[in-house]
Amino acid sequence: MKRLHGVIDGKPFPSEASDTIPILYPATNQVQAEMDVALEREVDAAVDAAARAFPIWRRMTGTERGRILHRIADRLRRENDDLAMMEVMDTGKPISEANQVDVQSGADALEFFAGVAASMTGDYHTLGDNYAYTRCEPLGVVAGIGAWNYPLQITCWKAAPALAAGNTMVMKPSELTPQTTIRFAEICHQEGLPEGVFNVVTGDHRTGQHLCQHPHVRKVSLTGSVATGKRVMRDAAETLKHVTLELGGKSPLIIFPDANLGNAVKATMLANFYTQGEICSNGTRVFVHQDVIQPFTEMLRSATESLVIGDPRDPKTEVGSLISESHAESVMQYIQAGRDQGADLVCGGQRHGEVGNFVTPTIFSGCDDSMSIVQEEIFGPVLSLLTFRDEDEVLTRANATPYGLAAGVFTNDLNRAHRVTAELEAGTCWINTYNITPVEIPFGGYKQSGMGRENSRHALSHYTQLKTVYVETGDL
Ligand code: NAD
């Protein structure tokens, strides 16, 4: 049985604790490896390694740091197919997605931040005969804590800006999906990242808690659920760490009657069934104008029923396995609640296959805003159709949620599109598309969907602190 360890100073660091966690292939639930649970000793060792590396890494020029990040990105692209298959084995997502998106979006982030590393500057201020300037300095040791839906992408989205800015890092991947992050640490070492700059600790919430409580960790960046975000913030508050939280959502997707319905149907599927619906920004509350609900529902049902569900390793598969048996059960409980609360099942709603954690893509129509399937994040392939009559009404209902990660608007009236997105309480709004997150633009949540931003130059401000230097040129 393969045993997975953390990586500290570029080398495997077996845990002394006897506790391990089995890593399952979600499509069969067979055990593929046993993973160490890093406790205090391992977390301390990782943080110490990162702290030792910090003065070396931060003193390198941005160009030098960027050059190493570029090499790591190139290597990810060369190993795309192997890394994608590793991701499939951990997450159960289809290889057709992992091959195209997961590794490449990680490499994109490394390339983007490798490029901006050299252009980080401060300001200069003339103050009479005196002057002042600012320095954009790294924070020190930062911790990353990841979710299980996009493990390598999440690791890269955190590591790229953190390392580009001169921080060093300890990453804890989800306890369900550690393999690509461990491989990433090996690649970093082989491509010349100095020892200790990027370290990995494996484990569950206990390992995460040690990181959040560690006095020498200056920042925590979490991708996870709202409940975990609150716990992380509470622990981080004890030593006033900086915090970035990328949390859950229950995002609205609004289809006005003048929209191109073919495109709206495609976007609705992308917003609900890509990665089996296990995407934080998914548009799971689909508000469709009452004039087009009938043709829209019919087109959506027919396209959804033609999705190919099955073996994630088969390139033809479009819908893979949910992450775990317990998650599939939780999704099925929501589907039952939808039925019990009076929603109409248009299609799906069943477990699929003899083994694994497959759930068929599910559409409910006739939903109302109070149903639990409409209110709560299910994080699976379950879509709720809601109808509306006018713009003000749909805006009020779209914003009536504690979440605020994303939103989508479909209309051919661009004035309306901009008017509506200006009122939507969401960190990212898409007009006539959905779930597109290139590295060039910021991504993050409003309200309880989180704080801070990943991607774009804005992410750098979350991994740096500003020092002001005032210079007196005369006598006092
Ligand atoms: P989770 O909150 O259960 O776990 C996330 C990570 O936090 C894991 O690594 C876990 O071990 C760790 N953790 C748990 N408790 C902790 C604690 N007390 N202290 C420190 N670390 C702790 O989430 P999940 O089930 O892995 O992922 C699904 C959730 O993540 C969904 O809510 C989804 O919306 C969200 N998500 C958000 C984004 C985003 O960018 N906004 C992206 C992907 C997933």
Side-chain angles (χ1 to χ4, degrees):
M1 180 67 59
K2 187 154 70 164
R3 181 81 181 253
L4 302 172
H5 312 293
V7 181
I8 298 177
D9 276 331
K11 297 172 214 54
F13 193 90
S15 167
E16 272 184 359
S18 53
D19 235 5
T20 61
I21 294 176
I23 304 301
L24 311 184
Y25 174 42
T28 61
N29 286 325
Q30 277 175 344
V31 179
Q32 45 171 334
E34 290 286 338
M35 181 191 80
D36 284 356
V37 176
L39 297 176
E40 216 166 338
R41 166 185 169 267
E42 291 78 25
V43 170
D44 282 350
V47 174
D48 287 351
R52 278 195 306 275
F54 179 58
I56 301 162
W57 184 241
R58 70 172 294 199
R59 286 203 184 93
M60 288 170 68
T61 65
T63 306
E64 288 165 338
R65 288 198 297 268
R67 193 178 302 133
I68 295 173
L69 296 182
H70 264 300
R71 283 208 296 267
I72 297 167
D74 290 347
R75 182 76 178 273
L76 292 191
R77 292 199 190 281
R78 286 202 302 279
E79 291 195 8
N80 181 71
D81 292 356
D82 290 346
L83 286 161
M85 189 52 86
M86 207 180 247
E87 208 70 306
V88 168
M89 296 303 293
D90 272 7
T91 62
K93 67 171 67 190
I95 186 70
S96 58
E97 292 183 13
N99 250 337
Q100 297 298 316
V101 174
D102 291 65
V103 186
Q104 296 186 31
S105 68
D108 286 352
L110 288 157
E111 284 160 359
F112 178 88
F113 288 104
V116 298
S119 67
M120 290 174 57
T121 55
D123 301 318
Y124 173 83
H125 306 262
T126 308
L127 302 162
D129 289 338
N130 297 332
Y131 61 92
Y133 60 92
T134 58
R135 290 166 52 90
C136 209
E137 297 189 343
L139 299 169
V141 178
V142 305
I145 300 178
W148 44 256
N149 58 342
Y150 279 79
L152 181 61
Q153 183 198 72
I154 290 171
T155 292
C156 291
W157 281 19
K158 296 184 189 312
L163 301 190
N167 301 282
T168 56
M169 189 162 184
V170 180
M171 182 76 203
K172 189 200 87 62
S174 164
E175 58 271 36
L176 303 176
T177 56
Q179 298 203 74
T180 48
T181 297
I182 294 171
R183 179 74 194 126
F184 178 77
E186 291 163 2
I187 289 174
C188 287
H189 186 60
Q190 290 162 6
E191 294 302 326
L193 194 74
E195 279 176 12
V197 172
F198 180 82
N199 309 277
V200 177
V201 288
T202 58
D204 54 17
H205 63 281
R206 293 167 288 176
T207 315
Q209 267 172 328
H210 284 308
L211 277 172
C212 295
Q213 292 166 356
H214 200 291
H216 298 151
V217 171
R218 300 273 183 249
K219 181 202 170 83
V220 182
S221 175
L222 165 79
T223 299
S225 62
V226 171
T228 302
K230 291 176 183 174
R231 282 186 214 114
V232 162
M233 209 165 162
R234 270 198 291 271
D235 280 339
E238 208 47 50
T239 41
L240 285 177
K241 292 178 182 23
H242 296 242
V243 175
T244 291
L245 300 175
E246 292 291 348
L247 308 177
K250 190 73 192 176
S251 300
L253 171 54
I254 306 172
I255 320 285
F256 284 99
D258 63 336
N260 175 322
L261 283 196
N263 285 340
V265 165
K266 285 182 193 156
T268 303
M269 293 175 65
L270 190 62
N272 281 276
F273 303 134
Y274 202 73
T275 317
Q276 308 79 240
E278 296 167 325
I279 297 187
C280 51
S281 50
N282 271 357
T284 45
R285 292 184 295 142
V286 184
F287 292 93
V288 185
H289 192 273
Q290 59 181 13
D291 289 354
V292 290
I293 184 74
Q294 266 197 333
F296 181 86
T297 306
E298 191 39 44
M299 287 164 75
L300 182 67
R301 184 193 61 74
S302 141
T304 301
E305 283 182 341
S306 71
L307 287 171
V308 180
I309 179 167
D311 183 353
R313 292 170 298 189
D314 183 339
K316 289 194 288 298
T317 294
E318 292 168 302
V319 180
S321 168
L322 294 182
I323 186 73
S324 65
E325 175 60 32
S326 64
H327 187 50
E329 268 317 300
S330 143
V331 171
M332 290 307 293
Q333 278 169 18
Y334 274 111
I335 291 171
Q336 189 57 45
R339 289 176 151 158
D340 294 346
Q341 291 168 21
D344 301 319
L345 187 67
V346 176
C347 66
Q350 283 158 7
R351 294 292 294 261
H352 168 96
E354 303 290 299
V355 291
N357 315 311
F358 297 87
V359 173
T360 52
T362 303
I363 301 173
F364 279 111
S365 66
C367 300
D368 74 53
D369 297 353
S370 66
M371 293 174 174
S372 52
I373 52 168
V374 178
Q375 300 237 326
E376 294 168 29
E377 184 186 47
I378 302 173
F379 218 57
V382 183
L383 179 169
S384 299
L385 287 172
L386 303 131
T387 52
F388 72 95
R389 274 187 302 277
D390 66 59
E391 191 179 304
D392 285 345
E393 171 214 335
V394 77
L395 259 173
T396 307
R397 291 168 63 196
N399 285 336
T401 165
Y403 295 109
L405 191 55
V409 179
F410 265 79
T411 175
N412 278 328
D413 176 348
L414 278 184
N415 283 341
R416 169 153 63 195
H418 294 298
R419 190 168 66 231
V420 169
T421 48
E423 294 302 319
L424 284 167
E425 295 166 355
T428 300
C429 296
W430 289 284
I431 296 175
N432 292 333
T433 187
Y434 206 85
N435 263 350
I436 309 296
T437 55
V439 65
E440 291 87 349
I441 59 177
F443 181 76
Y446 277 21
K447 302 196 282 189
Q448 291 193 30
S449 287
M451 57 188 59
R453 291 292 176 270
E454 295 198 305
N455 288 345
S456 80
R457 294 187 75 94
H458 288 280
L460 286 176
S461 66
H462 300 295
Y463 288 99
T464 50
Q465 52 196 344
L466 212 53
K467 178 178 283 170
T468 306
V469 182
Y470 182 101
V471 183
E472 170 66 53
T473 59
D475 293 330
L476 287 189

